[in-house]
Amino acid sequence: LAKTTQPISMDSYEGQEVNITCSHNNIATNDYITWYQQFPSQGPRFIIQGYKTKVTNEVASLFIPADRKSSTLSLPRVSLSDTAVYYCLETGGFKTIFGAGTRLFVKA
Amino acid sequence: NAGVTQTPKFQVLKTGQSMTLQCAQDMNHNSMYWYRQDPGMGLRLIYYSASEGTTDKGEVPNGYNVSRLNKREFSLRLESAAPSQTSVYFCASSHGQGGQPQHFGDGTRLSIL
């Protein structure tokens, strides 16, 4: 059973900023929040990880409020190639649990 | 720069046959994992190996065995395949302590008739 809750699907248009929010109602104190991206016929690919506040890399930003009950993955100016499934996870031990993820569809 | 390599990429088995899925990583990672992914669902952990010489059960270990052959290689064996094991199998590796980002292979698509 997934620990996190995220929307099943989202639609966007090219050039828009996309924000995907995940709920972490019972996150463990030592757990990090990690996001993965998965394209069809490929394995998941690590996007970003954080513990608290904001983390930014060349691909995305991750916002985590002080209470850590949620996280928001922000993808700036999406393109058609960002169409994929996005997973949020609580990662601490080795037993990683993936939910069904959010299917993002980017339209021209 | 191969990363995580899985073989074979596709396989069709008959019920009751046995099969070993191979996984190798070239990133000097300590930990390795096997997952299965059914259509429209997230990945479920079958087994993991925190370090060379150790293996532990994940969420769905029944019907599978694993071997951590050395630091690079982690194999998954189906002793008597069942149609319910039709799935896409992913191998992953990470540096070490739990929670580290995992690097995934491109999967093995397994069909059991």
Side-chain angles (χ1 to χ4, degrees), chain B residues 58-113:
Chain B
E59 184 185 354
V60 288
N62 292 343
Y64 306 94
N65 287 300
V66 290
S67 295
R68 184 74 184 268
L69 304 170
N70 48 55
K71 191 171 185 178
R72 290 187 64 248
E73 298 173 289
F74 188 38
S75 64
L76 177 72
R77 183 162 178 83
L78 288 70
E79 289 291 352
S80 179
S84 61
Q85 295 177 303
T86 293
S87 190
V88 181
Y89 291 84
F90 290 102
C91 177
S93 68
S94 67
H95 273 293
Q97 63 191 75
Q100 290 290 314
Q102 296 179 22
H103 299 257
F104 286 81
D106 283 336
T108 294
R109 282 146 190 81
L110 184 61
S111 293
I112 299 161
L113 307 177

Side-chain angles (χ1 to χ4, degrees), chain A residues 20-25 27 31 33 35 50-55 62-73:
Chain A
I20 306 174
T21 297
C22 182
S23 297
H24 306 273
N25 291 322
I27 188 168
D31 279 359
I33 294 170
W35 285 79
Y51 185 81
K52 200 179 285 187
T53 64
K54 178 181 176 181
V55 179
L62 177 60
F63 301 90
I64 303 170
D67 66 7
R68 302 196 338 118
K69 295 293 186 183
S70 67
S71 66
T72 299
L73 175 72

